[in-house]
Amino acid sequence: MSSIVLPRIIEIGGGTLSHLPSVLQNIGSKKPLIVTDHMMVKLGYLATLQSILRDAGIENDVYADTEPEPTAASIQAGIKKVQNEQFDAVIALGGGSSIDSAKAIAVIGKFGGTINEYRFPRQFNEQGLPIVAIPTTAGTGSECTRFTIITDEKTDEKLLCMGTSFMPVAAIIDYGLTISVPARTTADTGIDAMVHAIEAYVSRKANPYSDSQAIAAMRLIGPNLRRVYHDGNNKTARESMMLGSTLAGIAFSNASVALVHGMSRPIGAFFHVPHGLSNAMLLPAVTRFSLDAAKERYADCARALTFALPTDNDSVAGEKLLATLVDLNKELAVPTPQQFGIEKARFFAVLDIMAQQAEASGSPANNPRVPTAAEMVTIYKQLWNE
């Protein structure tokens, strides 16, 4: 039994940003709030979007103060804006953080309360303000997921919130918006998308539908991740990564992520490591830990990603996957926690808390090999020693 949830409208392809007015008309929106960040303002993407709305005679307003790793405090002013003014939709413009912020603003703005009241294991399925998600990175797949992640800055904990309330009603997937993304962000978001596809495929909640999306995503991401990192103007590679990211988002939204994500969130919350980067740090060690529990599945991933040959048997494909993930981190200049600037004493002081928070998120329970808290601490230590 699988219950599949998707956006009602998905516009895909270069130039589809211009379809925004018809999408808004389709969902009955006459006065949307645009939720974005300062980088989108600086790059001129907000101005482009507003001129499209202005030409269509659509009234709108902007909340541009979202943060890279959104916190309960950073979304508060956006929530107040929704509560005090008569908006009928929220447009999310930006990377995963802007989209995550917009989801929380759209739901809490309508129903009130604090982000803590919406955290996992609660499933919130009431219809908040309709969300139109316009991603500008090929990474989180948040435009097609029923999740949002907001940090409680009082406890340094990343809260996973889930339910159909957080699923956008529409997504505009325009790869043209990713051309200007710098190499570091391209790598981090690209690895995030790859992890989504891998974890959806090896998850204990995987199903035939999510499998089909995950494999399709890996076929697009595997051959193009390096290309797009080395040449950001490669439009074919950018387009493949953008579609791959969206398909990976659909896959994990309908199958759940697993151990990499569970352990990644606390690193992000405690040490402000970008989400894709903490995923990348963990991916080789977690894959090594999990491989024997799902040998066939990981081998399928290796082949779909083109890291192994179609003719390789499962053992060879699994070993090639491990070796390639290590090489990929080197090629994409993924730092170790130490190289990122994390202090060793502080890292080791919070290992137990990070393992507990990872466990509480529920994601490690979806892993092919379900770890104990002690085993997660061991994996965290391996990151330091690699």
Side-chain angles (χ1 to χ4, degrees), residues 36-37 65-71 73-74 97-98 101:
T36 188
D37 59 48
D65 292 330
T66 67
E67 291 181 359
E69 300 284 320
T71 62
S74 76
S97 300
S98 290
S101 299

Side-chain angles (χ1 to χ4, degrees), residues 243-258:
L243 182 55
S245 167
T246 297
L247 294 176
I250 291 170
F252 92 80
S253 187
N254 293 290
S256 292
V257 284

Side-chain angles (χ1 to χ4, degrees), residues 305-325:
L305 288 160
T306 67
F307 297 170
L309 297 169
T311 51
D312 287 336
N313 66 37
D314 290 351
S315 293
V316 170
E319 286 308 315
K320 283 187 177 179
L321 177 65
L322 279 176
T324 308
L325 293 178

